[in-house]
């Protein structure tokens, strides 16, 4: 059973990345453009351009979420997204109370840790990173065995 689950790992990681990236990008788009209910607390409105930290966070959400969704520059985009959510939790939410359930910071914590996981797992299947990685390794002369060993699932 474990071998069967391991063989599906790249596809599940790819689907996880797509869902997390889509949700994050939608959150940023809602804040910037007022779509899908708009920015939180504005009743369908947007965040004023250039306001700190909300507008900058929304730009990070839209851009990093889009990159993670596409699987392009996945690890770097996920690291920036994870850091922005850690900042959001500690700067905005934790002032209200210690625990995320008390201070409304659960989405920030979940996004932070989900993106942190993506930093280490990479794009998985379905990512554009894999298209460019294939071209890069072909020019460096890396063997197929070295490529497959690098992409092998990590056993627990």
């Amino acid at each position: 059973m474990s071998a069967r689950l391991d063989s599906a790992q790249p596809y599940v990681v790819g689907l996880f990345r797509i869902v997390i990236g889509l949700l994050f990008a939608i959150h940023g788009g809602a804040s910037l453009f007022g779509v899908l209910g708009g920015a939180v607390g504005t009743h369908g409105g947007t965040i004023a351009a250039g306001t700190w930290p909300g507008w900058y966070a929304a730009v990070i959400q839209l851009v990093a979420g889009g990159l993670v969704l596409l699987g392009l520059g996945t690890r770097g985009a996920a690291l920036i997204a994870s850091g922005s959510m850690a900042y959001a939790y500690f700067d905005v939410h934790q002032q209200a109370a210690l625990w995320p359930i008390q201070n409304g910071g659960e989405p920030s914590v979940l996004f932070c840790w989900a993106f942190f996981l993506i930093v280490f797992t990479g794009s998985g299947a379905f990512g554009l990173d894999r298209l460019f990685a294939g071209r890069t390794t072909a020019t460096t002369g890396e063997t197929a065995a070295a490529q497959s060993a690098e992409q092998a699932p990590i056993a627990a």
Side-chain angles (χ1 to χ4, degrees):
M1 172 119 169
S2 185
R4 182 177 267 175
L5 292 173
D6 286 345
S7 68
Q9 184 178 4
Y11 304 104
V12 174
V13 168
L15 290 173
F16 178 78
R17 172 190 51 78
I18 289 167
V19 170
I20 294 296
L22 178 65
L23 292 173
F24 204 59
I26 287 173
H27 193 74
S31 298
L32 291 173
F33 307 117
V35 297
L36 302 171
V40 174
T42 64
H43 303 293
T46 62
I47 296 175
T51 58
W52 178 259
W55 186 82
Y56 294 94
V59 170
I60 289 171
Q61 291 164 2
L62 182 62
V63 173
L67 289 172
V68 169
L69 168 67
L70 296 172
L72 187 60
T74 305
R75 292 175 190 252
L79 183 63
I80 290 169
S82 178
S84 75
M85 288 294 95
Y87 176 84
Y89 180 75
F90 288 113
D91 188 60
V92 177
H93 296 285
Q94 200 175 39
Q95 294 174 5
L98 177 63
W99 296 103
I101 191 75
Q102 296 172 313
N103 63 29
E106 290 166 304
S108 297
V109 171
L110 288 170
F111 273 126
C112 177
W113 285 101
F115 283 117
F116 195 62
L117 178 64
I118 292 170
V119 170
F120 289 93
T121 60
S123 63
F126 319 118
L128 295 179
D129 285 345
R130 289 190 178 251
L131 294 176
F132 296 118
R135 291 181 187 165
T136 305
T137 55
T139 59
T140 60
E142 224 178 275
T143 65
Q147 290 174 12
S148 64
E150 191 175 301
Q151 296 174 355
I154 300 171

